[in-house]
Amino acid sequence: MNAATTIYSPSFTEQLISENEHLLAENALLKKQKDEYKNELLKLQLQLKKFTQMIFGKKGERHLSNPSQLNLELPVDTSDTPSCKLGDAKKISYTKTKGTNKRELNELGAYMKDLPHVYETREPDNIPEGAVKIGEEKHETLEHTPGKAFVKVVIIPKYKVPCIHDADKTLIIAAPAPERPLFKCLAGASLLATILVDKYCDHLPLFRQARRFNRNGLALPYNTIVDLNAKTIDLITPLYIMLKKEVLASSYIHADETGLKVLLGKENQKHKNIHSGFLWCYQNSIKHLVFFDYQHGRGEKCTEGTLKEFKGYLQTDGWQVYKNIASKDKDIIQVCCWAHARRKFIDASPYDKEPAEFALQKIGVLYEIERYCRDQGLPYNDIAKIRQDKAVPILNELNEWMIKTYKNNLPSSHISSAIGYALERWQELCCYTKDGRLKIDNNPVERSIRPVALGRKNFLFAGSHKGAERLAVIYSLIGTCTMNNVDPYEWLKDVIGKIKNYPMTRVHELLPNNWKEYQPESVTADEILA
């Protein structure tokens, strides 16, 4: 070996340093992977908790720091309840025959002979002396009361009046004949109202109604009930159009949307496509009005057309579509919902208990302020003043705490996710303190959507896009009845019987929020012709 050539060999200490650095780098990588797996595990646990809560847990979100069990001593009614005599009902059977001819009207009412009859006689006004009764007409309609079907017979006597100036001539007088709600249909207003109320208030599908009618001795075919349901909703659709105008004419509304499955395809197809549509709900919680609008999707185009002429406060959840609508239109001011912000902290409480409990406690104080204002029945100006004095300092303290806590926690943590949701919408969340009319959350519209969710569990889907539009019509009108403490059965029975001849200039009087005020109100013949 050449003496000038030197071979460098690292010392033992240098080898240890190199191996130590390698182990430290490997340890840091493993620690990073462990943190990622831990965060992924927490996300999966949160999802599992949410699904378990949806299936088995309670639905309320009210936060109580020291919950206590309350025992309610409710009186128990031990009296015997009356039994229904279903044996008195007679089952009517019919044989379907082939043929292309339509069934005649008297064939549809063949089973009406065995039903009890209620008679009503309408005499003409101011019957002159010497009038002689020469006959009468009978107009039959099929009516229904809860648990009992009967036939209402309106008897209209005819009178022959001798002519004073000409003895050979006579004058026939009679009261005007009643007009059926649906053209050439035996179903009366009470039966039609029962079908709608049972389905859209009590969530009873039409095929179940057909079975119940059959048990009560009224053999109505399922297809007949389907047609009656659709035609009756079409009959009262002008009220829906008027209701929509009144809701959007206000300066403060709530908005939300919910899914609706729509069955598409022809009747003779075995496999039908299911479309995921949406019912958009708009509510005026001050005037107690609500209307649903069916759209094929959930995008921005599905609501900007409806809100095109709206000006004022729009209270919504955190869906990005509403924020885009408000940013494009200066006349729309978005107000966000504290219930949705609170829900994020409730979800984070099992993993970050201490900070989540602090936030929930502060939000609970905000709700206590609202509860006090509501219980005292304060006017809007006083509510706004109390919010500025009591709620705004709490909001400022909560905002400072959120910013500080967000910086000291990992962005992927559950508490950071809850805080980030609130801070991103902070101005919209605090907007309610400026006006006493505004609500702290969007719960009013959530309550209006609840019947739709119950209906989905029973009749599952709408049969077509047109059927989904009819759902929007009837849910709007019945929802407004509920908000105004109006019995939907009594309202529908009255409106279905009179809307056909009601003047369009006064159709707003039939809306549920105006119905009691204008009852009873006579309609003149001149107004009908106008």
Side-chain angles (χ1 to χ4, degrees):
M1 181 180 294
N2 189 359
T5 304
T6 60
I7 301 176
Y8 174 79
S9 60
S11 65
F12 179 74
T13 303
E14 291 176 343
Q15 290 180 356
L16 289 178
I17 294 174
S18 177
E19 291 180 359
N20 187 37
E21 291 178 351
H22 176 72
L23 291 175
L24 289 175
E26 186 176 357
N27 184 46
L29 180 61
L30 292 175
K31 185 178 180 180
K32 181 179 179 181
Q33 292 178 351
K34 180 182 177 181
D35 292 339
E36 292 178 353
Y37 291 147
K38 183 178 179 180
N39 291 335
E40 185 68 22
L41 177 62
L42 291 177
K43 290 181 181 179
L44 294 176
Q45 289 177 344
L46 179 59
Q47 290 181 358
L48 178 61
K49 180 180 179 296
K50 286 183 177 180
F51 293 145
T52 306
Q53 176 73 16
M54 292 171 59
I55 299 175
F56 304 107
K58 64 178 184 179
K59 304 302 180 184
E61 296 178 351
R62 183 179 177 184
H63 177 70
L64 298 175
S65 300
N66 296 313
S68 59
Q69 182 69 29
L70 300 179
N71 295 324
L72 300 179
E73 298 180 358
L74 300 178
V76 180
D77 186 8
T78 59
S79 59
D80 296 334
T81 57
S83 59
C84 181
K85 298 181 180 180
L86 295 179
D88 296 342
K90 296 183 179 180
K91 185 176 180 180
I92 309 300
S93 60
Y94 62 95
T95 303
K96 185 176 181 180
T97 59
K98 296 182 179 180
T100 57
N101 296 332
K102 294 183 178 180
R103 292 182 295 177
E104 297 180 357
L105 187 62
N106 56 0
E107 293 179 353
L108 291 175
Y111 54 83
M112 296 168 57
K113 297 179 181 179
D114 297 324
L115 296 176
H117 287 54
V118 177
Y119 293 87
E120 175 185 348
T121 302
R122 297 184 182 180
E123 297 283 356
D125 298 331
N126 302 322
I127 301 177
E129 295 182 1
V132 179
K133 182 177 179 179
I134 59 173
E136 63 184 20
E137 293 181 358
K138 292 185 178 181
H139 301 266
E140 296 182 348
T141 56
L142 185 61
E143 302 288 346
H144 183 273
T145 57
K148 180 181 178 182
F150 64 92
V151 176
K152 179 181 179 181
V153 182
V154 178
I155 301 175
I156 302 180
K158 293 182 178 181
Y159 293 90
K160 180 178 69 173
V161 181
C163 185
I164 300 176
H165 303 288
D166 192 347
D168 297 333
K169 295 183 179 180
T170 57
L171 179 64
I172 306 299
I173 61 173
E179 189 171 357
R180 295 188 174 98
L182 302 179
F183 182 67
K184 289 186 177 182
C185 179
L186 292 175
S190 61
L191 177 61
L192 299 175
T194 298
I195 294 174
L196 295 184
V197 170
D198 283 351
K199 180 173 182 180
Y200 304 105
C201 289
D202 302 327
H203 320 292
L204 189 66
L206 297 181
F207 77 91
R208 295 182 189 171
Q209 293 190 44
R211 292 179 180 178
R212 190 177 64 178
F213 284 137
N214 189 34
R215 292 195 302 268
N216 294 332
L218 182 58
L220 283 178
Y222 170 73
N223 290 336
T224 300
I225 299 178
V226 173
D227 291 339
L228 295 178
N229 174 76
K231 291 180 180 179
T232 306
I233 295 177
D234 292 341
L235 179 67
I236 60 178
T237 297
L239 294 176
Y240 168 77
I241 299 174
M242 184 64 64
L243 177 63
K244 179 179 179 180
K245 292 181 180 179
E246 287 200 15
V247 172
L248 295 179
S250 60
S251 59
Y252 171 46
I253 62 173
H254 303 261
D256 201 359
E257 74 287 334
T258 184
L260 178 67
K261 300 296 183 182
V262 181
L263 195 63
L264 303 179
K266 298 181 180 179
E267 294 295 333
N268 56 0
Q269 291 181 349
K270 293 183 179 181
H271 301 285
K272 299 181 180 181
N273 297 326
I274 296 180
H275 174 75
S276 296
F278 285 87
L279 283 176
W280 294 72
C281 183
Y282 305 90
Q283 187 201 84
N284 184 335
S285 58
I286 298 177
K287 294 184 178 180
H288 306 295
L289 305 173
V290 61
F291 89 91
F292 289 84
D293 180 34
Y294 171 70
Q295 295 291 334
H296 294 190
R298 199 189 177 199
E300 187 174 330
K301 294 182 179 179
C302 298
T303 187
E304 63 181 359
T306 304
L307 299 175
K308 184 177 181 180
E309 299 180 358
F310 172 74
K311 298 179 181 179
Y313 292 100
L314 176 66
Q315 189 156 26
T316 67
D317 53 19
W319 182 232
Q320 187 67 25
V321 165
Y322 299 113
K323 184 177 181 179
N324 296 339
I325 293 294
S327 62
K328 292 181 180 179
D329 194 340
K330 297 181 180 179
D331 295 327
I332 297 179
I333 303 174
Q334 186 186 14
V335 183
C336 280
C337 170
W338 266 106
H340 284 78
R342 179 180 60 183
R343 190 175 304 156
K344 301 294 183 180
F345 290 99
I346 293 176
D347 294 339
S349 59
Y351 311 99
D352 302 288
K353 185 175 182 180
E354 185 176 350
E357 286 292 331
F358 178 82
L360 290 174
Q361 183 182 4
K362 293 298 181 181
I363 297 174
V365 177
L366 297 177
Y367 272 87
E368 286 295 334
I369 296 173
E370 298 303 309
R371 194 174 295 111
Y372 169 79
C373 296
R374 183 175 64 251
D375 294 342
Q376 297 296 321
L378 300 178
Y380 295 137
N381 293 335
D382 293 346
I383 293 176
K385 186 176 184 303
I386 290 178
R387 288 173 176 173
Q388 291 294 323
D389 296 339
K390 303 294 184 180
V392 169
I394 297 175
L395 289 170
N396 293 334
E397 179 186 357
L398 189 59
N399 185 30
E400 294 178 1
W401 174 85
M402 285 185 177
I403 295 175
K404 181 178 179 181
T405 306
Y406 188 82
K407 293 179 180 179
N408 296 333
N409 286 271
L410 293 175
S412 58
S413 64
H414 295 85
I415 191 65
S416 296
S417 177
I419 294 175
Y421 178 90
L423 291 178
E424 186 179 357
R425 302 163 179 83
W426 189 253
Q427 296 297 329
E428 291 81 6
L429 286 171
C430 298
C431 186
Y432 83 98
T433 60
K434 300 178 182 179
D435 195 324
R437 298 175 302 165
L438 306 181
K439 306 292 184 182
I440 191 174
D441 52 37
N442 210 30
N443 286 348
V445 73
E446 299 278 353
R447 288 190 289 269
S448 294
I449 288 179
R450 193 170 300 165
V452 180
L454 293 175
R456 284 197 305 253
K457 293 181 179 180
N458 289 275
F459 48 79
L460 303 181
F461 49 76
S464 62
H465 288 308
K466 182 62 178 178
E469 293 173 359
R470 291 192 179 104
L471 281 177
V473 172
I474 192 61
Y475 274 133
S476 301
L477 297 173
I478 290 183
T480 305
C481 284
T482 302
M483 296 183 66
N484 289 274
N485 296 322
V486 173
D487 185 353
Y489 172 77
E490 295 296 334
W491 177 78
L492 281 169
K493 184 175 68 172
D494 180 70
V495 169
I496 291 172
K498 66 172 57 172
I499 190 173
K500 197 172 183 179
N501 294 323
Y502 215 79
M504 291 302 298
T505 55
R506 293 173 51 187
V507 73
H508 66 279
E509 299 174 359
L510 298 180
L511 289 175
N513 55 308
N514 301 327
W515 179 66
K516 290 183 178 179
E517 180 182 355
Y518 292 97
Q519 284 291 108
E521 185 81 11
S522 61
V523 182
T524 62
D526 295 337
E527 289 177 322
I528 295 175
L529 295 177

